[in-house]
């Protein structure tokens, strides 16, 4: 009865005649189907895109693609509203071609994006960073990689390891493990990558939250303004604290720079400074964000150099 009503569009009277019962009986059965979770109803409000802000942001930072979403009023100050993931999933469906290698870095926004994917050409999917917490791997980056591979019908190469290790020796040992080494072999083959951006404050940067108070203070003294895939940046987009990378399971910044399409998914007023810093680094080619972050970015100091000029701002 539920299939007839919800999927085939039959009326309750038509269903009643087919099954030889009253329409009131049909109504009770449909109510029971909802109560027992046999039927789930989902209402999705399409995200409102702001074309004017999108064009202005793309021009200001020299991006290949910039998509600005109108966020709900109650979520203006929240970092990475969930609807960014839905919009990013649509963009990814257009950017990825058959045979590509798709790289996914750790981040709440990339996890939301993967969950929203409903179309993707056949491609290989590789995890670009370790996980925030090994105990949540199945619900985080690993699951995102599996989900994307399932939608595309391609191979998945997850990384079952923490992003941050106690020391460089432990990180080096893990990188040599068979499964992790196999994923790392794909880093130079990635053609499209999705990354998240974190502000240097509690709850908005996973790396910040994983470090000790002393370590946070040290990197803060260097002028850290943003974090992306365990790489730290100052307000001008220069990489700092490079020693941290030696302790991390993550794609190298130089490898990111060589990837033809790097899509960052980040929004909210609290991330404005961090997004600006990462865009100035030249590592990102496209951005999915919201109006509150876009308004900050469009007035953030001196206009940056074009992102598509992807030379390292730190020099050789």
């Amino acid at each position: 009865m539920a299939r007839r009503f919800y999927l085939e569009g039959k009326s309750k009277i038509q269903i009643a005649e087919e099954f030889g019962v009253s329409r009131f009986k049909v109504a009770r059965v449909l109510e029971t189907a909802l109560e027992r979770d046999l039927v789930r109803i989902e209402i999705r409000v399409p995200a409102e895109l702001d074309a004017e802000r999108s064009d202005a942001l793309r021009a200001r930072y020299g991006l290949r693609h910039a998509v600005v979403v109108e966020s709900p009023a109650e979520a203006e100050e929240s970092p990475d509203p969930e609807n960014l993931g839905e919009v990013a999933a649509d963009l990814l469906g257009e950017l990825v071609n058959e045979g590509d290698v798709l790289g996914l870095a750790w981040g709440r926004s990339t996890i939301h994006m993967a969950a929203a994917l409903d179309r993707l050409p056949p491609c290989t999917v590789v995890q670009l960073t370790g996980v925030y917490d090994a105990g949540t791997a199945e619900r985080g980056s690993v699951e995102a990689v599996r989900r994307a591979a399932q939608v595309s019908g391609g191979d998945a190469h997850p990384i079952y390891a923490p992003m941050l290790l106690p020391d460089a020796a432990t990180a080096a040992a893990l990188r040599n493990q068979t499964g992790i080494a196999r994923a790392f072999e794909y880093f130079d083959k990635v053609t499209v990558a999705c990354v998240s951006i974190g502000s240097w404050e509690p709850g908005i940067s996973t790396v910040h939250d994983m470090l000790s108070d002393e370590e946070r203070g040290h990197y803060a003294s260097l002028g850290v303004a943003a974090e992306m895939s365990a790489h730290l940046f100052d307000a001008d987009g220069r990489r700092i604290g490079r020693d941290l990378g030696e302790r991390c399971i993550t794609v190298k910044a130089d490898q990111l720079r060589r990837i033809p399409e790097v899509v960052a998914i980040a929004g909210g007023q609290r991330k404005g400074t961090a997004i600006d810093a990462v865009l100035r680094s030249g590592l990102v080619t496209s951005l999915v964000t919201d109006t509150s972050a876009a308004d900050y970015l469009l007035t953030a100091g001196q206009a940056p150099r074009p992102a598509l000029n992807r030379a390292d701002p730190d020099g050789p």
Side-chain angles (χ1 to χ4, degrees), residues 95-161:
L95 296 179
V96 176
N97 295 307
E98 184 173 350
D100 276 348
V101 177
L102 171 62
L104 300 181
W106 158 263
R108 297 180 186 88
S109 57
T110 52
I111 292 170
H112 292 153
M113 181 277 299
L117 281 173
D118 58 10
R119 62 187 175 90
L120 206 59
C123 64
T124 299
V125 186
V126 60
Q127 193 169 322
L128 295 179
T129 64
V131 300
Y132 172 46
D133 180 349
T136 63
E138 295 297 326
R139 302 189 301 276
S141 304
V142 170
E143 178 55 33
V145 169
R146 286 178 173 171
R147 166 66 182 167
Q150 180 184 36
V151 173
S152 75
D155 294 332
H157 295 276
I159 294 177
Y160 294 94

Side-chain angles (χ1 to χ4, degrees), residues 55-62 280 297-305:
D55 288 342
L57 203 58
R58 181 177 53 79
R60 177 177 172 82
Y61 286 91
R280 289 173 185 271
L297 294 170
L298 291 171
T299 58
Q302 183 178 355
R305 64 189 185 135

